[in-house]
Amino acid sequence: FKIGLCQLKVTPDKDKNILRARSAIEEAAEKGAELVLLPEIWNSPYSNDSFPTYAEDIDAGFDFSPSTAMLSDVARSLNITLVGGSIPERSGDKLFNTCCVFGSDGKLKAKHRKIHLFDIDIPGKIVFKESKTLTAGEKPTIVDTDVGRIGIGICYDIRFQELSMLYAARGAKLICYPGAFNMTTGPLHWELLQRARAVDNQVYVATCSPARDASSGGYVAWGHSTLVGPLGDVVVTTEHDEAVVIGEINYYEVEVRRRNMPLEKQRRGDLYQLIDVSRLGEDSSVN
């Protein structure tokens, strides 16, 4: 099946961002995408000052969340699965960085709150602390869709390989990471981390970034939305401008790679183990 990566230019105008996102989703579907992925924080500028202002109460319903209302409507009308990037979410007195996944019927299938908050301080390069305004999520997110089982992470989540290992152990063959790496970490690690997570787990990894806007005066995204295959190969990518990129996913490739190099069978469980803490209460399984 085909996946569409919608690299969007983000402005301070939320209504304009929503319209721009819908247009890009429609373009991806017209090009044959059955699954569409949006960027991290696509409806708002990426800043601690903006998160409280642009946040939406997703649980309160679509009247209180115009961004997810649009995502639901367009997923249903186009009959596609939609990994809706992320938006600032307000829940009670807390704010989260949240990705909503909608099925082809327009219903909300999953909601991932960013687990690992982006708190970094690289002297002379970049300082950003999401924890000033955002609360970390508490649950890994894996969701069954019309195009298979998908694991969800947001941006900084990609740096923590245990999360991707957990998703692979639960049967995901595709992990989607809406993200917004910056001009310091982007050139160094954006593609490297995608390829590493794909090779580590023999899965597809899809990422989607906002387009770069150096004139904004704020946080500048690296861009380069990408689909990586289970061999670590770059299937499709783009540069830093606004774009809709289409790539093809074939899960048979996952099976071939795992058969040729059976890492799961060769892992030394007698020496080291990944414990899926969130499932211990369900069946005491250790992956």
Side-chain angles (χ1 to χ4, degrees):
F1 65 92
K2 290 181 179 179
I3 181 174
L5 313 175
C6 298
Q7 185 164 288
L8 303 172
K9 182 177 180 181
V10 179
T11 76
D13 187 330
K14 182 193 278 192
D15 292 338
K16 182 180 292 186
N17 294 335
I18 292 173
L19 290 173
R20 190 188 298 268
R22 181 169 192 133
S23 177
I25 295 166
E26 291 171 344
E27 179 182 340
E30 287 174 4
K31 293 179 177 179
E34 296 177 51
L35 171 66
V36 177
L37 176 61
L38 296 187
E40 180 184 27
I41 307 292
W42 58 265
N43 71 344
S44 160
Y46 188 86
S47 74
N48 280 313
D49 290 339
S50 298
F51 296 152
T53 303
Y54 288 75
E56 301 178 8
D57 190 339
I58 298 169
D59 292 338
F62 292 151
D63 288 343
F64 299 90
S65 182
S67 299
T68 57
M70 180 277 289
L71 297 177
S72 171
D73 182 66
V74 75
R76 179 189 51 77
S77 62
L78 297 176
N79 193 37
I80 60 171
T81 298
L82 185 53
V83 180
S86 78
I87 65 171
E89 178 197 9
R90 184 180 301 281
S91 181
D93 60 353
K94 295 181 179 179
L95 297 177
F96 298 92
N97 185 341
T98 300
C99 174
C100 292
V101 181
F102 289 92
S104 56
D105 57 1
K107 293 182 179 179
L108 180 65
K109 296 185 71 68
K111 188 169 69 170
H112 178 77
R113 290 169 169 168
K114 189 173 186 176
I115 295 173
H116 305 93
L117 295 183
F118 181 60
D119 283 10
I120 68 165
D121 185 350
I122 303 176
K125 296 288 186 178
I126 183 171
V127 177
F128 200 100
K129 296 190 181 299
E130 281 187 328
S131 61
K132 285 185 176 180
T133 54
L134 300 177
T135 299
E138 297 294 335
K139 295 180 180 179
T141 304
I142 193 161
V143 54
D144 289 314
T145 74
D146 290 347
V147 294
R149 179 167 290 184
I150 301 173
I152 306 293
I154 299 176
C155 200
Y156 207 51
D157 286 340
I158 199 173
R159 290 190 178 272
F160 300 88
Q161 65 267 38
E162 294 88 350
L163 183 63
S164 61
M165 291 172 66
L166 184 153
Y167 288 156
R170 290 196 193 180
K173 296 178 181 177
L174 167 65
I175 306 175
C176 292
Y177 294 99
F181 271 45
N182 55 70
M183 298 298 292
T184 298
T185 60
L188 290 171
H189 298 149
W190 178 239
E191 183 180 302
L192 173 66
L193 286 166
Q194 297 170 56
R195 297 181 71 186
R197 297 295 82 83
V199 169
D200 287 346
N201 301 289
Q202 299 172 307
V203 297
Y204 281 91
V205 169
T207 63
C208 191
S209 167
R212 190 182 307 170
D213 184 5
S215 66
S216 66
Y219 187 94
V220 180
W222 172 239
H224 296 270
S225 302
T226 303
L227 174 67
V228 176
L231 200 59
D233 52 311
V234 174
V235 178
V236 67
T237 189
T238 187
E239 296 296 326
H240 60 265
D241 294 325
E242 192 169 49
V244 174
V245 188
I246 304 297
E248 188 165 298
I249 291 174
N250 183 352
Y251 289 144
Y252 178 68
E253 291 296 323
V254 174
E255 300 304 325
V256 169
R257 302 309 165 199
R258 292 178 177 178
R259 184 167 63 247
N260 292 348
M261 193 178 295
L263 300 182
E264 183 58 35
K265 294 179 181 178
Q266 296 168 336
R267 187 166 283 125
R268 289 293 303 273
D270 58 323
L271 300 179
Y272 50 82
Q273 297 180 354
L274 173 69
I275 300 175
D276 191 341
V277 174
S278 60
R279 300 185 72 183
L280 283 178
E282 298 175 13
D283 56 10
S284 300
S285 64
V286 177
N287 297 314

